[in-house]
Structures are given as C-alpha cells and as structure tokens.
Amino acid sequence: MQALSTAAPGKVYTIKWMFGLPEVLNIIRNCQIQEGSEIRVFEKFNGGLIIGNKHKRIAISDDAAARIRV
C-alpha cells in the first residue's frame, strides 16, 4: 500500500482508504471516487496530480493525495 501522491502516471490503482477534511472528501466522492474505486493517474505536476475514472477527472494537491492510500 502506498500514498497516492507517490503513484506513477499512467497506472491504474484501487483506492484502499481515504481520510482528510470532510469538504475535500465530499468533492472527491462526488466525482465517483471512493474506497474500492479504480482510478488512473493521468498526470503529475508540481504540487499535485490529475486522477480519474471512466466518468470524471479531478486535480488534487499532493497534500490531499498523501492522505489517500492505493
């Protein structure tokens, strides 16, 4: 298990667990990304990354990604 912030672009991961501010978690879950979801890391950039599933994509900060385990 590793932090999402260390995941490699182009790979698919399953989210094991997430924690953080409720407001941030609600935004992520509204994008149909939650525990058990398969996500792809589309791109990493300075300070964050773009993740998504078949339906949605979202940019999240490294701080938020460090609180998600895949």
Side-chain angles (χ1 to χ4, degrees), residues 4 7-15 31-33 37-44 49-60 70:
L4 182 58
K11 296 208 175 194
V12 175
Y13 298 91
T14 300
I15 295 184
C31 292
Q32 301 174 359
I33 298 172
S37 296
E38 281 195 352
I39 54 114
R40 178 179 301 274
V41 177
F42 288 98
E43 185 177 340
K44 290 184 84 164
L49 58 156
I50 298 173
I51 63 170
N53 55 25
K54 293 179 184 178
H55 307 287
K56 302 223 178 181
R57 293 185 183 161
I58 185 172
I60 61 173
V70 293

Side-chain angles (χ1 to χ4, degrees), residues 15-16 18 25 30 32 35-36 41 55 63 66:
I15 295 184
K16 305 295 182 199
M18 304 188 301
L25 294 176
N30 284 338
Q32 301 174 359
E35 291 87 349
V41 177
H55 307 287
D63 290 339

